[in-house]
Structures are given as C-alpha cells and as structure tokens.
Amino acid sequence: MQQSHRDPEIGAARMEMLFDKMVAWHRWFMAWRLDRGAVCVTHPWEAGRDNAPDWDVAMAAITPDGVGEYKRRDTSHVDSSMRPTKYDYDRYIWLVQRGARLGWDEAAMLDGTPFRVADPTMTFTLLRAMRDLAVMGAALGRDTGEIEGWIKVLEAGAATLWNDDLGCYDSRDVRSGTWAGAVSNASFLCWYAGIDRPEMRDLYRDVLAQVKYGVPSLPPSDDRFDGKRYWRGPVWGVMNLMIALGLADMGLTDEAEALRASTADLVAQQGFAEYFDPRDGGPAGGSSFTWTAAIWLGWASPNAQGV
C-alpha cells in the first residue's frame, strides 16, 4: 500500500495485540519445520503448489493403501486435464488421513513420515515474514533479538537449497537427500526473501525468454512441463506479484515493472482465470478466480494503488 494510505497510529494498537501471537506462530515453524535451516512442508497443500515436480520424489515413496473412495470437487467444474491427477490425489488424501490418525501431533507425524521436503516457497516466504516481523517489533519498541537470530538461521537454510548442478534454488527431499531438479517460479522468490545471486538473474532472463507471459511454474525446457496443468507449467498472478516485489526490492525496477505489465496484459486479455498458459496466455483452471481479481485490483491494473 502506498505511504499515503498508511496510518501508524491507527495500526499500532492492532500490531501490539497481534505481535506476540505472530512471534509464537513463527516460533512453531522454527521448532518443527526446519531441516538444516530450510523450511519443510509435510503435505504439498501447505506450500500451495499442489502438484509441483518438487514433490515427485516424496510422493513416489507413498503407497496410498486404504485411501478408499472419495469425490473430488475440483474436477466437477474444471477440466481434469488442468488439475492434479488421481495418482496425486490418492497421496494427498493418504497424507491427510495419516495426520488425522495421529491427531496432527507434529512429533508423531515426523516419526517415519514419507513426506518431508525442504522447500523454497516456505523458506523464502517465512524469511520475508521474519524480516517484516522484526521491523514491526522495532516499531513497537520490542526486543527483536530472537527474531534476528531466526533470520540468520533461515538465511543459512536458504543456502542449503542451492542446487549446484541446476544452478538454482531447488526443493530437496529430506528423507533421501534427492533434489527435485526443478526451476520453479518459487525459485525466484529468493529476491522476495532479500537474497540475491547473479546466477538467478541470468536464469530469470533465460526462463522469461521461453514464454510470452509472466514466470511459469515450470519452464517449457523441462520435460515435465504441461502448460495448463496447475503447477507444472502455468503462470500464476500471485507468484508474479511476489517475484516482482522482490525484484523491486533488489533495485531491479525495470524487470519488476515488466513483470507487472505482462501480468496486466494477461488479465486484460484473458480475464480472471485461476492460472494461464505462459506460452500463449490461454486461460486455465477456474474461470472467475477471486485471487486473480485481487492481484489485478491491488497491483497489476493501471489503476491499482500499489501494495
């Protein structure tokens, strides 16, 4: 939001009320979800990138016995070719059933889990949130020493997600140590987290050269690319937004504005689709998606007030 829309005095009371609760929430992540300082997910839904190739190794380790019958609502209103497969959903449901059986107790779930993946999405977004929380604490006159310590841990953890062979930030299966080998749009959230590497700038330009619109969830050069299937290729407005914010923070204002303009063109031409084919802009997923509308209203539209 632009500075003219901010009122620190009005916000201070609300910040004071929420601050300790937010610190406790962040402390939970630091206690239960780290591997070598990187943040792990225990279900693909947690990262919001349900069927991304990042999870393929961990998903293959699951034998979804006993899942039983279930009815998917997503494929009742969206072409099934654009959604995760039954292979994926059997494993999603198996993981949910396992969590319910264990009472969602983190210690019990950690013991023998087949799914624990150190992930750029969660690592970079939590690191960004930690930095914001430290600023909030300082504004309230709070001691932010614990938070500053967490930031250092997460920065070191982010370094463990660097895949030398890929030349990119990548997801790592904790159980096997196997890399996903995926240049995803989450890889480019490094800037959103305040982390920069020259290699990422070069890779960003290479990925954008392969598509017409935005940052694909997986580039066409990857054999696993599917331009209309959820997180295996399509471009998402919310990811473009976060990547652009990070680019701007790094002083790459031209690149940030180009990504905003590309997203604006996509929505203006194709409407508020859930996601889009990055090659030709073809709409995919839900046809009237409020998340995309929110991105348009708050950031992409020429009339947006900024975020």
Side-chain angles (χ1 to χ4, degrees), residues 22 34 91 102 110 131 152 165 193 235 241 265 293 296:
M22 287 191 287
L34 297 191
R91 285 154 179 79
L102 296 173
L110 179 60
R131 297 191 197 280
K152 290 183 173 59
D165 293 335
V235 58
L241 164 67
D265 289 345
W296 170 263

Side-chain angles (χ1 to χ4, degrees), residues 36-49:
R36 296 162 55 193
V39 183
C40 299
V41 295
T42 61
H43 193 295
W45 289 343
E46 292 178 344
R49 300 190 296 126

Side-chain angles (χ1 to χ4, degrees), residues 207-275:
V207 168
L208 260 59
Q210 299 179 41
V211 298
K212 186 176 181 180
Y213 294 102
V215 185
S217 45
L218 195 69
S221 57
D222 192 304
D223 292 341
R224 299 164 291 187
F225 174 84
D226 185 334
K228 285 188 168 59
R229 193 184 289 276
Y230 220 35
W231 291 91
R232 299 185 86 89
V235 58
W236 292 73
V238 65
M239 296 296 281
N240 284 355
L241 164 67
M242 292 192 290
I243 292 167
L245 291 177
L247 287 166
D249 288 346
M250 291 295 146
L252 300 171
T253 53
D254 290 344
E255 290 83 351
E257 173 55 25
L259 185 52
R260 189 206 63 79
S262 174
T263 308
D265 289 345
L266 188 56
V267 176
Q269 294 169 22
Q270 303 292 351
F272 301 124
E274 186 176 0
Y275 42 94

Side-chain angles (χ1 to χ4, degrees), residues 161-184:
L161 298 179
W162 183 261
N163 181 340
D164 282 321
D165 293 335
L166 190 65
C168 182
Y169 290 104
D170 193 11
S171 291
R172 170 170 47 79
D173 180 61
V174 171
R175 294 183 74 249
S176 66
T178 305
W179 291 107
V183 179
S184 69

Side-chain angles (χ1 to χ4, degrees), residues 28-188:
W28 180 90
F29 273 100
M30 301 303 290
W32 290 107
R33 290 302 181 87
L34 297 191
D35 178 76
R36 296 162 55 193
V39 183
C40 299
V41 295
T42 61
H43 193 295
W45 289 343
E46 292 178 344
R49 300 190 296 126
D50 302 27
N51 67 328
D54 303 56
W55 328 126
D56 286 357
V57 172
M59 294 282 271
I62 297 172
T63 301
D65 293 335
V67 166
E69 297 296 322
Y70 56 89
K71 183 177 181 180
R72 291 175 58 177
R73 295 184 179 182
D74 60 328
T75 52
S76 67
H77 63 272
V78 175
D79 187 334
S80 62
S81 69
M82 299 178 183
R83 309 303 285 185
T85 65
K86 185 180 186 303
Y87 171 94
D88 296 319
Y89 254 85
D90 283 352
R91 285 154 179 79
Y92 300 159
I93 299 300
W94 186 89
L95 286 168
V96 170
Q97 291 174 342
R98 179 178 185 268
R101 186 171 65 253
L102 296 173
W104 302 106
D105 180 274
E106 286 292 324
M109 291 170 63
L110 179 60
D111 184 22
T113 180
F115 193 102
R116 190 172 179 85
V117 182
D119 164 46
T121 328
M122 297 290 281
T123 302
F124 290 141
T125 53
L126 186 62
L127 181 49
R128 170 83 175 214
M130 287 289 191
R131 297 191 197 280
D132 291 343
L133 192 62
V135 172
M136 183 184 295
L140 294 172
R142 298 295 198 93
D143 182 356
T144 60
E146 183 179 26
I147 300 170
E148 298 293 346
W150 291 340
I151 290 172
K152 290 183 173 59
V153 170
L154 290 172
E155 287 175 337
T160 73
L161 298 179
W162 183 261
N163 181 340
D164 282 321
D165 293 335
L166 190 65
C168 182
Y169 290 104
D170 193 11
S171 291
R172 170 170 47 79
D173 180 61
V174 171
R175 294 183 74 249
S176 66
T178 305
W179 291 107
V183 179
S184 69
N185 48 6
S187 303
F188 299 108

